[in-house]
Amino acid sequence: MPEYHEEAAGAALRKAAELLPDDGTGDGAEAAQQAVQEALRALPGAPEPGWTPEQEKQIQAMVRELRTVRQMDRPGAGLLRRRRQEQARKRYVGLAMFSDPQLVDEAELRMWKQNMTVAVLLEFAVGDMRRDDVQSAVTRLEIVHAATYADLTEFKQKMADGEDDDAGST
């Protein structure tokens, strides 16, 4: 599954918004509307509050380079793709070396949140799109948007420990 399908994610989000009750009286309607707004902000290119314009530019540049590295990292990549990936990796490392560590953490967290948001919305888009699917998607989006860099680090550690356990048992 490709990492970024912003049009499909946007279409899923619009469909979720259509399924919400118009009068806002349904179960979880307010939470669903808030989750929809958060999902829109999580899509690439949306600024986040709490950072100065200069910091925001640095974060977005790092996210852009991370995205390029990940898009170019595919099996069977040719010489040109490997060169582009290496160039993007060098640009990212250069940005990360001269940035505040909090900005690097924020860039990595945003990248993860964007990937997870798109994955949730794509899963919703290919489903039946019933009201219980909307609630499930809203719950998952709330979890993603509430995540912090500490949560992401803990998740990565658990994944690494799980892979080590699997490798040691075989």
Side-chain angles (χ1 to χ4, degrees):
M1 173 173 73
E3 289 185 33
Y4 290 97
H5 288 285
E6 294 158 18
E7 291 134 18
L13 198 55
R14 284 189 289 280
K15 181 66 176 177
E18 290 172 8
L19 293 174
L20 293 173
D22 292 334
D23 59 358
T25 59
D27 293 335
E30 185 176 309
Q33 290 170 347
Q34 182 180 6
V36 166
Q37 292 302 319
E38 289 176 2
L40 282 173
R41 285 193 300 270
L43 291 173
E48 292 210 8
W51 300 103
T52 66
E54 180 60 33
Q55 289 173 325
E56 186 67 35
K57 285 180 186 179
Q58 289 177 347
I59 292 169
Q60 288 180 1
M62 285 188 276
V63 169
R64 197 171 31 255
E65 295 307 327
L66 278 171
R67 185 178 309 131
T68 302
V69 168
R70 291 185 180 162
Q71 285 176 344
M72 297 292 168
D73 188 23
R74 296 184 184 148
L79 179 63
L80 184 58
R81 181 173 282 166
R82 285 192 305 265
R83 283 185 184 167
R84 286 183 185 160
Q85 181 187 19
E86 187 60 32
Q87 290 169 350
R89 184 174 284 121
K90 287 179 181 177
R91 286 190 302 266
Y92 172 72
V93 168
L95 286 168
M97 286 177 59
F98 297 107
S99 294
D100 183 14
Q102 288 181 329
L103 298 180
V104 176
D105 294 348
E106 178 68 18
E108 187 175 345
L109 180 64
R110 284 189 192 184
M111 185 73 186
W112 179 81
K113 283 184 175 184
Q114 288 173 1
N115 288 338
M116 293 307 297
T117 299
V118 170
V120 168
L121 293 175
L122 285 175
E123 187 177 314
F124 172 74
V126 298
D128 294 336
M129 295 189 194
R130 296 183 310 260
R131 288 200 183 271
D132 58 332
D133 293 338
V134 171
Q135 186 59 39
S136 172
V138 165
T139 303
R140 289 177 63 195
L141 287 173
E142 287 173 350
I143 291 169
V144 167
H145 291 291
T148 63
Y149 185 74
D151 298 331
L152 178 60
T153 305
E154 180 181 331
F155 173 74
K156 285 182 175 182
Q157 184 63 40
K158 285 181 182 178
M159 294 299 292
D161 291 344
E163 289 176 9
D164 290 343
D165 292 342
D166 291 343
S169 64
T170 56

